[in-house]
């Protein structure tokens, strides 16, 4: 993006367009009965592919969070791990994982209203985003997005 003032709008538009195109492609594949082809693939091949994609996703996430380059699953440079920001980023990532997986189960027994209890899971899914923007606000770096 060449204009920093419009970077957020451009990223938002790109996200919406990619989401809509992905949905349209998936609907088209569903209409063409593409699942019949995928059912003929052996389960170990599909499992290996999914595991490899998970490893690549974790590695790229850690690289983005820490600023360190990784070879397979290990960092090639440990200098970023000496900074407190790296550990703060990893802490926020850990909070995101815990809140998405466990937070709604932990707080649901303490909520008496069925309407609020039904909203516990969606709110727990949104809590990492809220914490992210709170941290950005405390750092004063909304303009860098």
């Amino acid at each position: 993006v060449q204009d920093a003032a419009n970077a957020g709008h451009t990223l938002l538009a790109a996200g919406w367009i990619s989401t809509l195109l992905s949905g349209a492609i998936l609907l088209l594949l569903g209409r063409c009965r593409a699942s019949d082809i995928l059912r003929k693939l052996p389960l170990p091949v599909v499992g290996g592919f999914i595991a490899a994609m998970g490893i690549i996703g974790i590695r790229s996430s850690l690289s983005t969070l820490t600023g360190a380059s990784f070879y397979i699953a290990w960092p090639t440079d440990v200098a970023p791990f000496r900074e407190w920001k790296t550990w703060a980023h990893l802490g926020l990532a850990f909070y995101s994982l815990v809140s998405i997986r466990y937070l709604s189960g932990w707080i649901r027994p303490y909520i008496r209203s069925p309407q609020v209890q039904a909203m516990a899971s969606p709110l727990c899914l949104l809590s990492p985003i809220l914490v992210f923007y709170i941290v950005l606000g405390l750092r004063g770096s909304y303009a860098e997005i």
Side-chain angles (χ1 to χ4, degrees):
V1 177
Q2 296 175 357
D3 185 14
N6 291 328
H9 300 293
T10 304
L11 289 174
L12 187 63
W16 277 99
I17 290 169
S18 65
T19 301
L20 290 174
L21 285 176
S22 297
I25 289 170
L26 287 174
L27 283 173
L28 181 68
L29 288 173
R31 289 280 183 203
C32 295
R33 305 263 182 200
S35 63
D36 294 339
I37 297 169
L38 295 177
R39 285 191 190 130
K40 294 177 183 171
L41 289 174
L43 189 60
V45 171
V46 175
F49 178 75
I50 292 171
M53 293 304 295
I55 290 171
I56 290 170
I58 290 170
R59 183 181 66 190
S60 65
S61 298
L62 285 175
S63 179
T64 302
L65 282 171
T66 61
S69 59
F70 281 77
Y71 176 74
I72 302 177
W74 303 104
T76 57
D77 182 22
V78 294
F81 291 96
R82 294 185 185 113
E83 298 178 17
W84 69 270
K85 284 184 186 179
T86 300
W87 292 103
H89 291 162
L90 290 173
L92 286 172
F94 182 72
Y95 167 74
S96 297
L97 289 173
V98 168
S99 67
I100 288 171
R101 178 65 182 101
Y102 299 109
L103 190 60
S104 66
W106 289 339
I107 66 170
R108 195 172 283 157
Y110 300 108
I111 301 172
R112 299 200 192 287
S113 169
Q115 291 84 9
V116 177
Q117 199 172 33
M119 292 298 295
S121 293
L123 291 176
C124 289
L125 290 174
L126 290 174
S127 71
I129 298 170
L130 178 67
V131 169
F132 172 74
Y133 281 111
I134 289 171
V135 169
L136 278 182
L138 292 174
R139 287 184 55 205
S141 57
Y142 281 123
E144 295 177 13
I145 298 177

